[in-house]
Amino acid sequence: LLYEAYYATLYKVCYKYIQHHENTEDVLHDVFIEIFNSISSYKYHGSFEGWMKRIATFKSIDFFKTKNKFKITDEDTLIDSNHSHNESENFIDHQHLEALSYDDLMKIIETMPNQYQMVFCLYEIDGLKHAEIAEILGIKEGTSKSNLLRGREFLKKKLMDFSKINQL
Amino acid sequence: MKSNRDIIKHKIDSHEQIPSDQLWIRIEQTLDKPKRRPVFFWIWFPLSMLTLIGGFYLGHYGNLFTNSAVNQPMNFVEETDDKNSVKLKNSDSMQEFWDEEDLVKSNKDSIVILNNENVLMYEVCEKVTVLKNKIKDNKEHNSRSPERTKSNKSQSKGKIVEEFQEPTSQVQNEKVSRGIDKLNNSFGEVVDEFVVDEILIVEDKEKNKRKIKPNVQGSINEPELEKAKFYITPFIGTNYYGSFQKATLFGSYFPAENTSSFGSGYGVSVRYMINNRVGVRANFSMSHTVHKSSLSYINYIDFMLPNITNLNFDESFDFESFKNQFEESGQLNAKQKMRLLHFDTEGYFVIKSFNSHQLSVSIGGGVTTLNQQNVELQLNGFESFSARNSLLKKSFMSFNTNLFYNYILTERFDIEASTGIRYFMGSYNFTTDFKPYLWYLNLGLSYKL
């Protein structure tokens, strides 16, 4: 019952980081094993779904880090002035974003450089704060902000390319 | 108005993509597999006990620690009331061998019994009567002074050998010499005298041979434990740290599951023996251990604050973030790395003293100072936080009891294996329901003064 109720939700949580069906299933397998093994330690405090999503997120990040030998350095903290316009939460025109299909969105995220992709997903999709992202990834908050802005810029550029193609 | 974030999130959430049916089958298979239980303790405990008992057995009955020549007589002799005297277990069983050797001549007054390798040997000499008389003298001497010293034994051995050096013929001379050599080589420091109480000659009509059935007693001179006054013993070991009751790491608002773990220790002890049976012992030791506990969040995070802020967390630690994550996680696993410094004095009592081994117990008490070096907090599904706790540094009384096994190695050194338990008379937490104990197994080398 637990599996049937949450497998789709947790699959999506994992997939956005892994973006590979079989690998996502492998991670999801580990996530459910972890959930079933530690469910007795869950004390009904806080959201159960949130607890499971956290496990899925961390398992996925671990997989991502291991597979890509991924490490964000704090050298990425430097933010040039051109990025400042992306600090707004609405950094992309809504029409362009709405027009984007799920598959196209995932393709863009997939092609995003690793260090931007991770922060982008944690912030924009999972809704974590920079302080939390910094702790999870072991980076400074400034680095997290910097990578988010660069990820947004990347997405914006890709969206512009998409709209140009569509106009043609 | 929707933000970019809402749109992206909606796109992902509304997309239906599901894993294959095979995934659940795999999960089921994994869940059905029996869990690997931590068997370390259950292996470690009997193994350590087996090592202790096995070491004692081999040391006492086997030939693990001594050369074969020294220990061979033990196979054929058994203890008598006199701890320095032994006699053959079953001389009948060796009769056939003596016949096979066929070195026994018809003169019953010319027999010397020797031990070589695994069997009893004998040589012919004419002075067995002298030997018997001499041994009789020695027995009387022994009975008068049972606590003989090693030098006395050597003297008695020398006299016996001297008596044999009176052969009456060239052939017998050679045999006697060879016999004396064997006597020395075989027994070395082990057996320094024989007692031939009776020699029976039994006719074996079938083989047309005479059988010799001596009633032999020999004294064993195994290396005895030096009766030193002072023993200085550095030791290292392993320990198992646990608690008898449930722990509350940060107060009663956060009930914790009791868990335990293994650690290591080292130290030095000094023992002074008042007499052969009783001594006093002082230990100074250090134990490193990790205590694991599991806390559940019950919506009283604010009560945790005064306690948790005493922990000097890393700079990256964000209490607000931690609080939120703890609330969501509902479960916190804490690992407390601890250093325990013990000083205690004990009464030391010898239970059983063998020639080269000794079993003893000690009981005593002292002071243990606990210094918690590091706290690592792991939220379920979240990352770890590390901290130092400046509060958890306190001292309390402890009681301990030990079992010792000593084996003599050289005149100056003994090996000492010990196991014991230390019970702390107090709690290092903010509540009083945590009663830790330390169970340990140590191996040391004693230097005797």
Side-chain angles (χ1 to χ4, degrees):
Chain A
L1 284 174
L2 185 73
Y3 177 80
E4 285 176 5
Y6 290 104
Y7 71 89
T9 306
L10 297 180
Y11 181 88
K12 274 186 273 189
V13 171
C14 298
Y15 186 79
K16 66 175 176 278
Y17 294 102
I18 298 162
Q19 290 157 358
H20 183 276
H21 177 69
E22 286 174 1
N23 288 343
T24 303
E25 284 201 349
D26 287 343
V27 172
L28 194 58
H29 167 270
D30 294 345
V31 168
F32 272 104
I33 297 299
E34 176 84 25
I35 288 169
F36 286 124
N37 283 339
S38 57
I39 199 164
S40 59
S41 64
Y42 179 70
K43 302 294 182 187
Y44 306 100
H45 304 297
S47 156
F48 182 66
E49 187 176 335
W51 178 71
M52 289 194 298
K53 279 184 175 176
R54 289 281 177 177
I55 293 174
T57 302
F58 276 85
K59 288 274 181 197
S60 304
I61 291 171
D62 281 347
F63 179 86
F64 187 90
K65 283 178 176 175
T66 310
K67 186 169 178 284
N68 297 311
K69 293 178 180 170
F70 163 73
K71 190 174 179 184
I72 300 177
T73 60
D74 285 325
E75 290 169 9
D76 298 327
T77 308
L78 296 171
I79 307 169
D80 66 53
S81 56
N82 294 332
H83 294 142
S84 57
H85 61 277
N86 282 334
E87 286 181 11
S88 162
E89 292 299 314
N90 294 319
F91 55 95
I92 304 172
D93 184 59
H94 282 187
Q95 284 183 341
H96 290 150
L97 200 55
E98 292 277 14
L100 201 65
S101 70
Y102 169 83
D103 289 338
D104 290 338
L105 176 63
M106 294 312 288
K107 271 180 194 167
I108 292 173
I109 293 173
E110 192 180 352
T111 54
M112 217 179 255
N114 287 342
Q115 64 268 33
Y116 309 155
Q117 182 187 340
M118 190 61 63
V119 175
F120 184 85
C121 289
L122 286 167
Y123 187 89
E124 297 289 4
I125 302 170
D126 289 334
L128 298 185
K129 294 169 189 171
H130 283 299
E132 293 171 310
I133 295 168
E135 281 180 11
I136 292 167
L137 298 178
I139 56 174
K140 291 178 181 170
E141 273 191 53
T143 309
S144 174
K145 286 177 186 173
S146 163
N147 284 319
L148 175 69
L149 295 183
R150 285 170 179 163
R152 282 176 173 176
E153 189 177 318
F154 184 90
L155 177 64
K156 190 175 179 180
K157 187 172 176 300
K158 288 288 177 186
L159 274 176
M160 296 298 283
D161 294 343
F162 261 86
S163 22
K164 279 178 191 169
I165 292 165
N166 288 338
Q167 281 172 5
L168 288 171
Chain B
M1 181 183 171
K2 278 186 177 178
S3 67
N4 285 169
R5 181 189 280 190
D6 295 332
I7 296 168
I8 292 168
K9 203 168 183 319
H10 177 73
K11 274 189 185 300
I12 289 173
D13 289 344
S14 59
H15 181 76
E16 285 300 325
Q17 189 172 5
I18 55 170
S20 65
D21 295 338
Q22 291 299 313
L23 179 60
W24 175 244
I25 295 167
R26 278 173 58 200
I27 291 169
E28 268 191 326
Q29 284 171 348
T30 308
L31 288 171
D32 287 343
K33 281 180 191 170
K35 279 185 189 176
R36 199 178 161 190
R37 295 182 178 182
V39 293
F40 180 61
F41 175 77
W42 303 110
I43 291 173
W44 182 80
F45 179 74
L47 269 185
S48 59
M49 289 297 106
L50 256 175
T51 307
L52 269 179
I53 295 165
F56 169 74
Y57 181 84
L58 285 173
H60 190 60
Y61 296 108
N63 57 3
L64 184 64
F65 304 118
T66 53
N67 66 61
S68 58
V70 166
N71 248 10
Q72 290 304 336
M74 296 295 291
N75 296 328
F76 304 102
V77 297
E78 60 188 24
E79 288 187 74
T80 60
D81 293 338
D82 179 0
K83 75 171 186 178
N84 290 317
S85 177
V86 293
K87 67 178 182 182
L88 289 172
K89 282 178 177 172
N90 185 3
S91 54
D92 285 339
S93 63
M94 298 169 193
Q95 279 183 0
E96 290 302 317
F97 177 78
W98 300 344
D99 279 346
E100 285 167 16
E101 283 292 308
D102 199 24
L103 288 171
V104 181
K105 304 302 177 189
S106 56
N107 184 358
K108 76 168 184 178
D109 290 333
S110 58
I111 294 171
V112 175
I113 299 193
L114 298 175
N115 187 308
N116 188 20
E117 301 299 326
N118 293 317
V119 296
L120 279 177
M121 298 287 288
Y122 51 85
E123 288 291 340
V124 178
C125 117
E126 293 181 341
K127 294 293 183 183
V128 73
T129 311
V130 180
L131 170 65
K132 287 169 75 176
N133 292 336
K134 188 68 205 170
I135 288 167
K136 196 176 176 184
D137 293 343
N138 284 336
K139 278 182 78 179
E140 287 170 2
H141 171 71
N142 292 344
S143 62
R144 284 194 300 271
S145 54
E147 296 293 327
R148 293 170 306 134
T149 61
K150 264 176 87 175
S151 58
N152 281 341
K153 288 181 180 180
S154 300
Q155 281 169 11
S156 64
K157 178 181 177 180
K159 282 175 186 172
I160 294 171
V161 171
E162 197 177 301
E163 293 292 344
F164 285 167
Q165 292 175 343
E166 293 178 13
T168 55
S169 71
Q170 183 64 29
V171 175
Q172 287 166 346
N173 183 21
E174 288 173 7
K175 286 183 176 177
V176 167
S177 299
R178 203 161 66 239
I180 291 167
D181 287 342
K182 283 184 178 179
L183 179 72
N184 290 327
N185 293 337
S186 300
F187 295 110
E189 292 294 315
V190 180
V191 177
D192 58 5
E193 65 185 61
F194 289 93
V195 179
V196 184
D197 288 335
E198 190 182 10
I199 298 174
L200 300 175
I201 298 179
V202 182
E203 293 289 342
D204 186 342
K205 291 178 182 174
E206 288 182 8
K207 292 184 180 177
N208 195 24
K209 284 180 180 176
R210 287 173 132 182
K211 290 184 177 179
I212 309 300
K213 186 182 180 184
N215 182 9
V216 181
Q217 291 190 352
S219 291
I220 288 187
N221 176 27
E222 270 202 309
E224 291 182 355
L225 280 175
E226 287 293 322
K227 304 299 180 191
K229 282 285 185 190
F230 279 102
Y231 294 76
I232 299 172
T233 311
F235 59 84
I236 56 169
T238 181
N239 60 57
Y240 179 76
Y241 182 85
S243 67
F244 289 118
Q245 297 175 31
K246 282 192 173 183
T248 55
L249 186 62
F250 297 112
S252 56
Y253 298 105
F254 298 91
E257 301 296 327
N258 172 29
T259 53
S260 305
S261 58
F262 287 94
S264 59
Y266 50 88
V268 64
S269 74
V270 178
R271 170 158 53 101
Y272 174 73
M273 293 305 291
I274 298 165
N275 56 40
N276 285 345
R277 287 285 174 191
V278 180
V280 289
R281 187 182 159 100
N283 302 303
F284 184 75
S285 62
M286 179 91 81
S287 305
H288 293 272
T289 188
V290 178
H291 185 250
K292 296 173 190 168
S293 52
S294 183
L295 305 163
S296 54
Y297 180 87
I298 52 172
N299 296 324
Y300 284 105
I301 191 77
D302 290 338
F303 288 97
M304 189 175 177
L305 189 60
N307 291 325
I308 205 167
T309 47
N310 289 317
L311 302 173
N312 301 318
F313 279 91
D314 295 342
E315 285 181 5
S316 60
F317 180 73
D318 176 3
F319 181 74
E320 282 304 314
S321 168
F322 173 80
K323 182 176 149 180
N324 295 334
Q325 292 181 26
F326 190 11
E327 185 176 16
E328 192 163 351
S329 168
Q331 190 76 20
L332 171 69
N333 298 312
K335 268 198 252 180
Q336 302 163 272
K337 284 185 187 173
M338 293 185 291
R339 187 171 58 197
L340 297 104
L341 198 64
H342 315 283
F343 177 74
D344 40 56
T345 52
E346 302 164 337
Y348 184 88
F349 310 97
V350 177
I351 304 172
K352 181 81 175 170
S353 187
F354 304 96
N355 285 326
S356 57
H357 319 272
Q358 188 168 285
L359 269 179
S360 321
V361 291
S362 73
I363 187 162
V367 180
T368 290
T369 299
L370 181 144
N371 181 12
Q372 182 166 300
Q373 295 178 297
N374 180 269
V375 180
E376 190 179 305
L377 306 173
Q378 171 74 55
L379 295 159
N380 276 5
F382 292 82
E383 72 275 26
S384 297
F385 301 94
S386 292
R388 283 182 176 275
N389 190 335
S390 53
L391 268 191
L392 292 185
K393 187 174 184 179
K394 61 185 291 189
S395 299
F396 36 78
M397 297 289 291
S398 61
F399 284 102
N400 52 302
T401 182
N402 302 288
L403 176 68
F404 297 94
Y405 167 72
N406 290 74
Y407 181 79
I408 186 169
L409 204 60
T410 67
E411 286 187 2
R412 282 292 175 198
F413 292 100
D414 286 359
I415 290 175
E416 181 183 279
S418 66
T419 183
I421 189 164
R422 189 186 306 278
Y423 180 62
F424 303 110
M425 299 301 290
S427 166
Y428 66 77
N429 283 307
F430 301 98
T431 57
T432 56
D433 60 350
F434 183 66
K435 300 290 184 194
Y437 66 89
L438 196 70
W439 184 67
Y440 45 87
L441 183 72
N442 292 328
L443 191 67
L445 189 66
S446 297
Y447 178 70
K448 292 176 278 191
L449 292 171

